[in-house]
Structures are given as structure tokens and as C-alpha cells.
Amino acid sequence: MKKILILLLFAGSVSAQTKKDITLEDIFKKGLFAQQTVSGLHSMKDGKTYVSIETDNKGESYVAKNNYSDGKTATVLFSQKDLNYNGNTLPVSTDFDANESKALIAKDEEAIYRHSTRASYFVYDLKTKEIIEVSANGKQMYATFSPDGSKVAFVRDNNIFIKDLNTKEETQITTDGKFNGIINGGSDWVYEEEFSFAKAFFWSPDSKKIAFYKFDESHVPEFSMTLYEGLYPTEYRYKYPKAGENNSVVSIHIYNLADKTTKNVNVGPEKDQYIPRIRWTKSPASLFVLRLNRHQNKLDYLLVNANSGESKVILTENDKYYIDIEKEQLRFLDNGKQFINVSERDGFNHIYLYDLSGKIINQVTKGNWEVTDVYGIDEKNNRIYYQSAESSPLKRDVYSISLNGTNKKKISTLEGTNNAVFSEDFSYYILTHSTSNSASLTTLHDKSGKLIRTLEDNEALEQRLKAYNITPTEFFTFKTSEGISLNGYMIKPPAFNGSKKYPVLMYVYGGPGSQNVSDSWGGTRKAWFNYLAQLGYIVVCVDNRGTGFRGAEFKKLTYKQLGKYETIDQIEAAKWLASQSYVDPSRIGIWGWSYGGYMSSLCITKGAGVFKAAIAVAPVTTWRFYDTIYTERYLQTPQENPEGYDQNSPINFADKLKGKFLLVHGTGDDNVHFQNSVMLSEALIQANKQFEQAYYPNKNHGIYGGNTTIHLYKRMTDFIVENL
């Protein structure tokens, strides 16, 4: 028996030794750890079919119309060979008009900021095979079909235009657009970044009106970035309101296509406020406008008469901290009398049903857990389909529930993270599932949950992973000295030996409402963590107080003092790790990007002596340098709360730096300005603290392009190996 056991152990050892080591080239150049997804997935209005973008054996893309009933392709709607325009082949697209007879195609698309792009747009008519150029007068932004499919509206040079697809006539409906002055139909930088929308115009349901935003940026301070290209560097100047400074004055307008008139919407006399959302109701006669005060703790719902522009407040929501507008799920029922949205008013994010007077009919979901997405409303069967973290803050499941809050049913069955796309009539759904240790599985089901077909199993990736020295992600929970329970995950070296002591690298983001510790596929960054584990490091991530999906009080504890409790929790996590028998307490490091870079900078300074090394990538180093909407949501203005800004700024603790520190930034970062790292560098220099720096010329907040990504991760890897 002993001989058999020894042989088995030896065989296991040989097997482990024959596995391949991960290389940085495998991750960032060859893309060997990237998962496959179903591209262009879009449900058709017949409720029986969906479309996807596929590739044939010649590498040519095409749009397939697939049956929900069996998952098989019913027909090919069009392919790249159908999209030849003046000798140029256009890309395929599933951006259809409401009649599903035309497709909108973007060619030579170029990114501007996080969500905004410009491109040359074309319309492909599936019936006539005709290709129409939307405009020959320069690239367009935010091209959008009218609901009847007869027109396309777009923005160019900060003005709104309409292209009539029948007459081919182009009409300009605003004329006062000016760079760094007036924006029509698009959002300014801070709305795009913090309210997560760039297109700022909306067709009425009958295609006869367009509601649009106008941003007057004239009094917003400009930020200047140097672009190091060409013989002489150039300056890029754009409007960026830093905390406490002037915002754009935002107004809402409604253009009538019939008489070519524009009505101003009454959004109240206050100019220093936000309009984070506008939505048409099911009726072309009325519009919803959501109005938020500058402190972002009071949200008004305005019902607007689309013919006159007059409005009335039908609902007001107040919060003692702030209202998280990013969670908004405003949807109108086809009955024209009701709408739903989510709210944290009971301490957790839940769905509420209202009538059009703003009265709450009922709270649809309840419990000490969060609704994380709303998929749609099946009015025929009186049900809402949604995603939630009910089973665990680390997991996501798909549910349906009656509008009256009864008869809740769990649809997803696999543990982990589940997301769904439903057919138009909710009789079918496509489910995507992953865990921290398994790539996404995409499957097609009927409404009973019966599996019809597997669309993507990532089997090739799963088999590839088995050939590498990859260890599973382990979740853990620990209690801090204050009795706070925090969630974390850990990746150990492949040949982990509990009797040895290992160095630890902690990864942190930690910003308000965020989450890094979840049972979902981690992608290429998680592959890098496995690469570090292969080098002998334990990689650990802990979600501190202030992160999301554990209720409003846990998330909003950091209000008016960003960085304080988050840093305490990360230091506590490091001390807890130091107490574990398999950790070398003298070799604990931490790194993060953006808010995580802010956190790692605070940890290596305020947590002096706990961490041996830290890396900060694109960090905020004082919230005085960051934008109004994000910063003031959590801190109010620096004029109102100077201590909240200064008591947790790494710049003010530079003299406490103890340990090795690497500071990384892109010089073209339009979001977290390079200024943050420059001024932290100056503070460290004046404190006579030695540290290392790496800057990436002209790169934005993502620091990518060409060899940039692999260069950055090689730089960070070398720093970790040399100093931890």
C-alpha cells in the first residue's frame, strides 16, 4: 500500500512538473487566456429569433438570424461581401432599426473619451441591398435611427443633424455648437465619464420629435494636456470641471420635425444642478426628466408636456448620503400608466413600481440583498426579469417575479455569475455563466429552463488552461479588529506548501460601490496574477468598506471621508495575512490602478511599515484634482469639506513613505490627470523619499496601445520580483 501511495505521489509530481509556465507574451501578446463570447447578440422582435455576428471558414463575417427553438441558423441576413461601398468593404453590424429592415454601420470608428466615438456611418437596406452614406460632410457621432426607420439623427461639430433616408436630404437642427463652448446632442466630458452616457438626444416614439441636451461649457475651466507628437508638442485643451469649480449649465430642448421649432423644457430656475437622465414615456406627448441637486442627495422626477415644454415634479427621493444614479433602471410599462425604477430607500437596491403620478404602487423586491440589473417586463404575464446578488454578494443569479412582488422564481441554476438576454416575448433566454475558475458558458434555454443548445462553451480555452501551472482562486472571509467581516480571494503558488512562508501581493481597487471579489471569470489580469503565483507569490484581493452589493450603509460609510476606512481595512487585511502561518509578514506588497492607485499610495504612506512595496498606476493623489460629479457625490465640495479632501490625500503623507514605491501614469490621461502623479512626485522629492517612476507618453487612463500593455506589466513584474 505504501509503495502504491509513493508511486501515485510521484506520478502527480511528474504531472505537475510537465505543465507549462505562463509567460507575459502568452497573456498580453498571444491572448491565450482570452475567452470567446457570442458577438452582436440581439433579440428580434418576432420573439422567435435572434441575430449574432459569425465568421465563416474564410474569415468573412456575416449576420446570422438564428432560431430560439433549436439555436440553429435560419438564414444569413447579410455578410461582408454585401457591404461593398465605392470599393471599400464595410463591417457587419446588428444595429437595426425598429422594423429590422435596415442596419446602421460604423466605419473607421475612432474613440474620443470613455464612451464617445466618431465614425463614417452607412445604412444598409436588407431588402433593396442599397447602401446609403449618412453624411459626406465629415465623420458623425451617435448616429441613431428614428423609430420608424425613415431617418438618422447624428451630431457633428457639436450640432445635431437629421438625414432623411428617403429624400437623402440632410437637415441641421441646431446652429450654435462650438468646441469648448456649446454642445448640442452630446454630453460634456464629466457627464460622459460619471453619468455614463455620451449620446444626448432621444427620438420620440412617433419619430416626430427629438429631445436633446444642450451643454453651455463657456464658464467651465479648461484643462490642458501636452501631446508629445511631432517636432513641437501640441496642447489639447478641453473643459474639465474639478471639484468645487463651475459645471456646464445644462438645458433640455424638444425639436419638432413638422414645424421645425424647438421648445425649451422647464427644468427649474436652478442652474447649478444635474440632469443625469431623460426618457420618453410610451406616449410621444410626455417626457421624463430626472433632476439631481449638486450634492446628489435629492432626485426629482419631472413629467414634461412635450408640446409645451412645461413640467411638474411627480416624485422626489432624498438620501442622507447620496443617490447612486448609476443604478437607475427607469422603464415604462406599455399600459402607459406605470413605470419601474430601483432605489436604495430601504437600505438595499430594490425594484419599485409607480404610477405616472409618482405614487409607489408597491415595492416589488425586498430583502437584505441587492438587485443588480433589470432585464425587462413581460406585461402579458405580469412579470419582471432581473439579476440579483440574493444568494451572496459574490454571486449573481437570474430571477423573475410578479409585479406585485409575489411568486419569485430563480431561473439560473449554476453557482457563480449569471447574466441573461431574453427574447422579445420572454419565451426564451440566452444565459452566460462563469465562475472565478471557469470561463464563460453561453447557453440557450426555453422559458421552462430547458437547455436547447450550447452556443459557446470555451472548451478550447478550458483545455488550454489545463496545460498551464494555474491554481484555483480561493475565497475567504475574515473579521477586522473592529469586528467588520470582509470578503477576499487568494491565488496561491502551484506547488503551495503550507509549511513555507510566502510573499504576498495585494490587489486593490476599493472605490465606492465597486467590487473585485466576485465569483466570475477574471480575464487577462487574473492570468497575470497566476503568472505571479507561478513566480512564488500569493496574490490576494480584499473588498473594503465602501465597496458595493452589501447594502447602502456598508457602501456609504465612506461619505465625506474617502480613503479613511478603505485604507484602515486594507491595512487590517495585510495584518491578518501577516498572522497566517504560510505568509512572510516582512514581504507584503500592494498595488492598484486609478482608485486602486490612490489606495496603494495611501497604504504605503499611512500604513508605513506594514507594506514592503507598492505600485500605484494612474492614481488620484488629491481629490482636489478630480472632477465635480464623482468627487462631490462622496465628499461635497472642497470649500464645504476641506478636511475630507486633505486628511486622506497621499500628497500630504509623502513624508511617511516607508518601503519601495513605483508610480506609473500616462501623460495623456484625460480622466485622472498626469498632474496627480507629478504633484505626488514633487511631494516625495521634497520629503527626500526615494521612489521609482514610469510614465507612458500620450497614453490615456487605460495605458494601452501597441506594446504598451506588455511593457507595463513587465515593468510591474520586475519591480515586484526585485522588491518583494
Side-chain angles (χ1 to χ4, degrees), residues 650-675:
I651 290 174
N652 296 332
F653 297 93
D655 62 334
K656 295 185 180 298
L657 176 68
K658 184 179 180 182
K660 300 295 184 178
F661 184 48
L662 172 62
L663 184 58
V664 180
H665 221 118
T667 67
D669 194 333
D670 63 278
N671 183 2
V672 179
H673 299 143
F674 184 45
Q675 176 189 20

PDB file of all heavy atoms in Angstrom, residues 650-675:
ATOM      1  N   PRO A 650      -2.662  61.276  -0.433  1.00  0.00           N
ATOM      2  CA  PRO A 650      -1.284  60.764  -0.339  1.00  0.00           C
ATOM      3  C   PRO A 650      -0.229  61.868  -0.398  1.00  0.00           C
ATOM      4  O   PRO A 650       0.847  61.723   0.199  1.00  0.00           O
ATOM      5  CB  PRO A 650      -1.177  59.834  -1.553  1.00  0.00           C
ATOM      6  CG  PRO A 650      -2.583  59.407  -1.832  1.00  0.00           C
ATOM      7  CD  PRO A 650      -3.437  60.594  -1.489  1.00  0.00           C
ATOM      8  N   ILE A 651      -0.515  62.948  -1.087  1.00  0.00           N
ATOM      9  CA  ILE A 651       0.439  64.058  -1.169  1.00  0.00           C
ATOM     10  C   ILE A 651       0.792  64.571   0.226  1.00  0.00           C
ATOM     11  O   ILE A 651       1.948  64.913   0.504  1.00  0.00           O
ATOM     12  CB  ILE A 651      -0.141  65.199  -2.036  1.00  0.00           C
ATOM     13  CG1 ILE A 651      -0.186  64.763  -3.507  1.00  0.00           C
ATOM     14  CG2 ILE A 651       0.669  66.484  -1.880  1.00  0.00           C
ATOM     15  CD1 ILE A 651      -0.861  65.760  -4.424  1.00  0.00           C
ATOM     16  N   ASN A 652      -0.199  64.591   1.105  1.00  0.00           N
ATOM     17  CA  ASN A 652       0.011  65.123   2.454  1.00  0.00           C
ATOM     18  C   ASN A 652       0.671  64.131   3.399  1.00  0.00           C
ATOM     19  O   ASN A 652       0.920  64.460   4.564  1.00  0.00           O
ATOM     20  CB  ASN A 652      -1.324  65.599   3.036  1.00  0.00           C
ATOM     21  CG  ASN A 652      -1.905  66.763   2.248  1.00  0.00           C
ATOM     22  OD1 ASN A 652      -1.167  67.536   1.648  1.00  0.00           O
ATOM     23  ND2 ASN A 652      -3.222  66.881   2.224  1.00  0.00           N
ATOM     24  N   PHE A 653       0.944  62.916   2.914  1.00  0.00           N
ATOM     25  CA  PHE A 653       1.588  61.900   3.757  1.00  0.00           C
ATOM     26  C   PHE A 653       2.868  61.374   3.110  1.00  0.00           C
ATOM     27  O   PHE A 653       3.361  60.308   3.468  1.00  0.00           O
ATOM     28  CB  PHE A 653       0.617  60.748   4.041  1.00  0.00           C
ATOM     29  CG  PHE A 653      -0.595  61.177   4.825  1.00  0.00           C
ATOM     30  CD1 PHE A 653      -1.758  61.557   4.178  1.00  0.00           C
ATOM     31  CD2 PHE A 653      -0.549  61.245   6.211  1.00  0.00           C
ATOM     32  CE1 PHE A 653      -2.868  61.978   4.897  1.00  0.00           C
ATOM     33  CE2 PHE A 653      -1.659  61.669   6.936  1.00  0.00           C
ATOM     34  CZ  PHE A 653      -2.816  62.039   6.281  1.00  0.00           C
ATOM     35  N   ALA A 654       3.386  62.141   2.130  1.00  0.00           N
ATOM     36  CA  ALA A 654       4.590  61.708   1.411  1.00  0.00           C
ATOM     37  C   ALA A 654       5.760  61.461   2.353  1.00  0.00           C
ATOM     38  O   ALA A 654       6.579  60.557   2.130  1.00  0.00           O
ATOM     39  CB  ALA A 654       4.962  62.749   0.358  1.00  0.00           C
ATOM     40  N   ASP A 655       5.849  62.249   3.429  1.00  0.00           N
ATOM     41  CA  ASP A 655       6.977  62.098   4.350  1.00  0.00           C
ATOM     42  C   ASP A 655       6.927  60.806   5.153  1.00  0.00           C
ATOM     43  O   ASP A 655       7.895  60.429   5.801  1.00  0.00           O
ATOM     44  CB  ASP A 655       7.043  63.303   5.300  1.00  0.00           C
ATOM     45  CG  ASP A 655       5.812  63.428   6.173  1.00  0.00           C
ATOM     46  OD1 ASP A 655       4.720  62.941   5.772  1.00  0.00           O
ATOM     47  OD2 ASP A 655       5.913  64.015   7.267  1.00  0.00           O
ATOM     48  N   LYS A 656       5.784  60.098   5.092  1.00  0.00           N
ATOM     49  CA  LYS A 656       5.651  58.846   5.842  1.00  0.00           C
ATOM     50  C   LYS A 656       5.990  57.617   4.992  1.00  0.00           C
ATOM     51  O   LYS A 656       5.903  56.488   5.477  1.00  0.00           O
ATOM     52  CB  LYS A 656       4.227  58.715   6.390  1.00  0.00           C
ATOM     53  CG  LYS A 656       3.871  59.778   7.419  1.00  0.00           C
ATOM     54  CD  LYS A 656       2.489  59.532   8.013  1.00  0.00           C
ATOM     55  CE  LYS A 656       2.122  60.592   9.037  1.00  0.00           C
ATOM     56  NZ  LYS A 656       3.057  60.605  10.192  1.00  0.00           N
ATOM     57  N   LEU A 657       6.344  57.837   3.725  1.00  0.00           N
ATOM     58  CA  LEU A 657       6.650  56.699   2.860  1.00  0.00           C
ATOM     59  C   LEU A 657       7.743  55.830   3.468  1.00  0.00           C
ATOM     60  O   LEU A 657       8.811  56.302   3.843  1.00  0.00           O
ATOM     61  CB  LEU A 657       7.114  57.196   1.482  1.00  0.00           C
ATOM     62  CG  LEU A 657       7.569  56.091   0.514  1.00  0.00           C
ATOM     63  CD1 LEU A 657       6.392  55.231   0.086  1.00  0.00           C
ATOM     64  CD2 LEU A 657       8.254  56.703  -0.711  1.00  0.00           C
ATOM     65  N   LYS A 658       7.454  54.539   3.553  1.00  0.00           N
ATOM     66  CA  LYS A 658       8.431  53.564   4.027  1.00  0.00           C
ATOM     67  C   LYS A 658       8.262  52.306   3.185  1.00  0.00           C
ATOM     68  O   LYS A 658       7.217  51.664   3.235  1.00  0.00           O
ATOM     69  CB  LYS A 658       8.225  53.250   5.510  1.00  0.00           C
ATOM     70  CG  LYS A 658       9.287  52.312   6.088  1.00  0.00           C
ATOM     71  CD  LYS A 658       9.050  52.061   7.576  1.00  0.00           C
ATOM     72  CE  LYS A 658      10.108  51.128   8.145  1.00  0.00           C
ATOM     73  NZ  LYS A 658       9.868  50.840   9.586  1.00  0.00           N
ATOM     74  N   GLY A 659       9.276  52.004   2.402  1.00  0.00           N
ATOM     75  CA  GLY A 659       9.183  50.870   1.504  1.00  0.00           C
ATOM     76  C   GLY A 659       9.422  51.304   0.075  1.00  0.00           C
ATOM     77  O   GLY A 659       9.610  52.486  -0.227  1.00  0.00           O
ATOM     78  N   LYS A 660       9.438  50.355  -0.827  1.00  0.00           N
ATOM     79  CA  LYS A 660       9.683  50.622  -2.235  1.00  0.00           C
ATOM     80  C   LYS A 660       8.377  51.039  -2.910  1.00  0.00           C
ATOM     81  O   LYS A 660       7.317  50.449  -2.658  1.00  0.00           O
ATOM     82  CB  LYS A 660      10.249  49.379  -2.918  1.00  0.00           C
ATOM     83  CG  LYS A 660      11.571  48.900  -2.310  1.00  0.00           C
ATOM     84  CD  LYS A 660      12.680  49.916  -2.505  1.00  0.00           C
ATOM     85  CE  LYS A 660      14.008  49.394  -1.980  1.00  0.00           C
ATOM     86  NZ  LYS A 660      15.114  50.342  -2.206  1.00  0.00           N
ATOM     87  N   PHE A 661       8.477  52.043  -3.787  1.00  0.00           N
ATOM     88  CA  PHE A 661       7.264  52.602  -4.382  1.00  0.00           C
ATOM     89  C   PHE A 661       7.498  52.867  -5.865  1.00  0.00           C
ATOM     90  O   PHE A 661       8.489  53.497  -6.246  1.00  0.00           O
ATOM     91  CB  PHE A 661       6.892  53.902  -3.662  1.00  0.00           C
ATOM     92  CG  PHE A 661       5.593  54.525  -4.123  1.00  0.00           C
ATOM     93  CD1 PHE A 661       4.444  53.770  -4.262  1.00  0.00           C
ATOM     94  CD2 PHE A 661       5.522  55.888  -4.394  1.00  0.00           C
ATOM     95  CE1 PHE A 661       3.251  54.348  -4.671  1.00  0.00           C
ATOM     96  CE2 PHE A 661       4.334  56.482  -4.797  1.00  0.00           C
ATOM     97  CZ  PHE A 661       3.196  55.714  -4.938  1.00  0.00           C
ATOM     98  N   LEU A 662       6.572  52.367  -6.697  1.00  0.00           N
ATOM     99  CA  LEU A 662       6.598  52.604  -8.135  1.00  0.00           C
ATOM    100  C   LEU A 662       5.353  53.385  -8.517  1.00  0.00           C
ATOM    101  O   LEU A 662       4.227  52.947  -8.257  1.00  0.00           O
ATOM    102  CB  LEU A 662       6.653  51.286  -8.912  1.00  0.00           C
ATOM    103  CG  LEU A 662       6.497  51.368 -10.438  1.00  0.00           C
ATOM    104  CD1 LEU A 662       7.628  52.196 -11.054  1.00  0.00           C
ATOM    105  CD2 LEU A 662       6.448  49.974 -11.053  1.00  0.00           C
ATOM    106  N   LEU A 663       5.549  54.524  -9.167  1.00  0.00           N
ATOM    107  CA  LEU A 663       4.466  55.420  -9.566  1.00  0.00           C
ATOM    108  C   LEU A 663       4.380  55.422 -11.088  1.00  0.00           C
ATOM    109  O   LEU A 663       5.356  55.718 -11.774  1.00  0.00           O
ATOM    110  CB  LEU A 663       4.751  56.820  -9.029  1.00  0.00           C
ATOM    111  CG  LEU A 663       3.719  57.922  -9.223  1.00  0.00           C
ATOM    112  CD1 LEU A 663       2.377  57.544  -8.609  1.00  0.00           C
ATOM    113  CD2 LEU A 663       4.227  59.226  -8.605  1.00  0.00           C
ATOM    114  N   VAL A 664       3.188  55.077 -11.628  1.00  0.00           N
ATOM    115  CA  VAL A 664       3.003  54.906 -13.071  1.00  0.00           C
ATOM    116  C   VAL A 664       1.855  55.790 -13.546  1.00  0.00           C
ATOM    117  O   VAL A 664       0.811  55.869 -12.885  1.00  0.00           O
ATOM    118  CB  VAL A 664       2.679  53.435 -13.416  1.00  0.00           C
ATOM    119  CG1 VAL A 664       2.492  53.253 -14.913  1.00  0.00           C
ATOM    120  CG2 VAL A 664       3.762  52.494 -12.888  1.00  0.00           C
ATOM    121  N   HIS A 665       2.029  56.439 -14.705  1.00  0.00           N
ATOM    122  CA  HIS A 665       0.932  57.248 -15.249  1.00  0.00           C
ATOM    123  C   HIS A 665       1.115  57.432 -16.751  1.00  0.00           C
ATOM    124  O   HIS A 665       2.235  57.434 -17.261  1.00  0.00           O
ATOM    125  CB  HIS A 665       0.888  58.624 -14.581  1.00  0.00           C
ATOM    126  CG  HIS A 665      -0.495  59.102 -14.264  1.00  0.00           C
ATOM    127  ND1 HIS A 665      -0.942  59.351 -12.984  1.00  0.00           N
ATOM    128  CD2 HIS A 665      -1.555  59.365 -15.065  1.00  0.00           C
ATOM    129  CE1 HIS A 665      -2.194  59.751 -13.010  1.00  0.00           C
ATOM    130  NE2 HIS A 665      -2.591  59.774 -14.279  1.00  0.00           N
ATOM    131  N   GLY A 666      -0.007  57.599 -17.457  1.00  0.00           N
ATOM    132  CA  GLY A 666       0.013  58.000 -18.859  1.00  0.00           C
ATOM    133  C   GLY A 666      -0.052  59.512 -18.938  1.00  0.00           C
ATOM    134  O   GLY A 666      -0.871  60.135 -18.254  1.00  0.00           O
ATOM    135  N   THR A 667       0.781  60.103 -19.777  1.00  0.00           N
ATOM    136  CA  THR A 667       0.807  61.571 -19.838  1.00  0.00           C
ATOM    137  C   THR A 667      -0.425  62.143 -20.522  1.00  0.00           C
ATOM    138  O   THR A 667      -0.725  63.328 -20.377  1.00  0.00           O
ATOM    139  CB  THR A 667       2.062  62.069 -20.578  1.00  0.00           C
ATOM    140  OG1 THR A 667       1.991  61.698 -21.953  1.00  0.00           O
ATOM    141  CG2 THR A 667       3.330  61.500 -19.951  1.00  0.00           C
ATOM    142  N   GLY A 668      -1.157  61.319 -21.289  1.00  0.00           N
ATOM    143  CA  GLY A 668      -2.360  61.786 -21.974  1.00  0.00           C
ATOM    144  C   GLY A 668      -3.633  61.342 -21.288  1.00  0.00           C
ATOM    145  O   GLY A 668      -4.670  61.174 -21.945  1.00  0.00           O
ATOM    146  N   ASP A 669      -3.601  61.169 -19.979  1.00  0.00           N
ATOM    147  CA  ASP A 669      -4.767  60.709 -19.210  1.00  0.00           C
ATOM    148  C   ASP A 669      -5.768  61.851 -19.071  1.00  0.00           C
ATOM    149  O   ASP A 669      -5.545  62.810 -18.334  1.00  0.00           O
ATOM    150  CB  ASP A 669      -4.305  60.218 -17.833  1.00  0.00           C
ATOM    151  CG  ASP A 669      -5.377  59.428 -17.099  1.00  0.00           C
ATOM    152  OD1 ASP A 669      -6.573  59.655 -17.351  1.00  0.00           O
ATOM    153  OD2 ASP A 669      -5.007  58.593 -16.254  1.00  0.00           O
ATOM    154  N   ASP A 670      -6.904  61.759 -19.800  1.00  0.00           N
ATOM    155  CA  ASP A 670      -7.920  62.804 -19.733  1.00  0.00           C
ATOM    156  C   ASP A 670      -8.801  62.672 -18.502  1.00  0.00           C
ATOM    157  O   ASP A 670      -9.530  63.598 -18.154  1.00  0.00           O
ATOM    158  CB  ASP A 670      -8.811  62.754 -20.974  1.00  0.00           C
ATOM    159  CG  ASP A 670      -9.588  61.443 -21.074  1.00  0.00           C
ATOM    160  OD1 ASP A 670      -9.020  60.442 -21.558  1.00  0.00           O
ATOM    161  OD2 ASP A 670     -10.752  61.403 -20.653  1.00  0.00           O
ATOM    162  N   ASN A 671      -8.720  61.542 -17.818  1.00  0.00           N
ATOM    163  CA  ASN A 671      -9.588  61.245 -16.682  1.00  0.00           C
ATOM    164  C   ASN A 671      -8.899  61.606 -15.365  1.00  0.00           C
ATOM    165  O   ASN A 671      -9.240  62.590 -14.714  1.00  0.00           O
ATOM    166  CB  ASN A 671      -9.973  59.762 -16.748  1.00  0.00           C
ATOM    167  CG  ASN A 671     -10.932  59.345 -15.662  1.00  0.00           C
ATOM    168  OD1 ASN A 671     -11.370  60.141 -14.853  1.00  0.00           O
ATOM    169  ND2 ASN A 671     -11.256  58.069 -15.626  1.00  0.00           N
ATOM    170  N   VAL A 672      -7.927  60.804 -14.955  1.00  0.00           N
ATOM    171  CA  VAL A 672      -7.105  61.111 -13.779  1.00  0.00           C
ATOM    172  C   VAL A 672      -5.820  61.734 -14.316  1.00  0.00           C
ATOM    173  O   VAL A 672      -4.952  61.039 -14.826  1.00  0.00           O
ATOM    174  CB  VAL A 672      -6.803  59.848 -12.953  1.00  0.00           C
ATOM    175  CG1 VAL A 672      -5.927  60.189 -11.752  1.00  0.00           C
ATOM    176  CG2 VAL A 672      -8.096  59.184 -12.497  1.00  0.00           C
ATOM    177  N   HIS A 673      -5.720  63.027 -14.237  1.00  0.00           N
ATOM    178  CA  HIS A 673      -4.661  63.743 -14.935  1.00  0.00           C
ATOM    179  C   HIS A 673      -3.268  63.369 -14.431  1.00  0.00           C
ATOM    180  O   HIS A 673      -3.073  63.101 -13.238  1.00  0.00           O
ATOM    181  CB  HIS A 673      -4.873  65.252 -14.794  1.00  0.00           C
ATOM    182  CG  HIS A 673      -6.168  65.717 -15.379  1.00  0.00           C
ATOM    183  ND1 HIS A 673      -6.943  66.710 -14.817  1.00  0.00           N
ATOM    184  CD2 HIS A 673      -6.845  65.300 -16.477  1.00  0.00           C
ATOM    185  CE1 HIS A 673      -8.026  66.897 -15.548  1.00  0.00           C
ATOM    186  NE2 HIS A 673      -7.991  66.044 -16.561  1.00  0.00           N
ATOM    187  N   PHE A 674      -2.317  63.387 -15.359  1.00  0.00           N
ATOM    188  CA  PHE A 674      -0.909  63.154 -15.048  1.00  0.00           C
ATOM    189  C   PHE A 674      -0.442  64.080 -13.917  1.00  0.00           C
ATOM    190  O   PHE A 674       0.465  63.752 -13.145  1.00  0.00           O
ATOM    191  CB  PHE A 674      -0.082  63.384 -16.318  1.00  0.00           C
ATOM    192  CG  PHE A 674       1.384  63.105 -16.198  1.00  0.00           C
ATOM    193  CD1 PHE A 674       1.867  61.967 -15.563  1.00  0.00           C
ATOM    194  CD2 PHE A 674       2.313  63.980 -16.753  1.00  0.00           C
ATOM    195  CE1 PHE A 674       3.220  61.713 -15.471  1.00  0.00           C
ATOM    196  CE2 PHE A 674       3.677  63.736 -16.666  1.00  0.00           C
ATOM    197  CZ  PHE A 674       4.130  62.603 -16.022  1.00  0.00           C
ATOM    198  N   GLN A 675      -1.085  65.218 -13.795  1.00  0.00           N
ATOM    199  CA  GLN A 675      -0.826  66.178 -12.715  1.00  0.00           C
ATOM    200  C   GLN A 675      -0.821  65.498 -11.345  1.00  0.00           C
ATOM    201  O   GLN A 675      -0.026  65.860 -10.464  1.00  0.00           O
ATOM    202  CB  GLN A 675      -1.903  67.268 -12.751  1.00  0.00           C
ATOM    203  CG  GLN A 675      -1.843  68.291 -11.637  1.00  0.00           C
ATOM    204  CD  GLN A 675      -3.082  69.195 -11.647  1.00  0.00           C
ATOM    205  OE1 GLN A 675      -4.118  68.848 -12.223  1.00  0.00           O
ATOM    206  NE2 GLN A 675      -2.964  70.350 -11.033  1.00  0.00           N
TER     207      GLN A 675
END
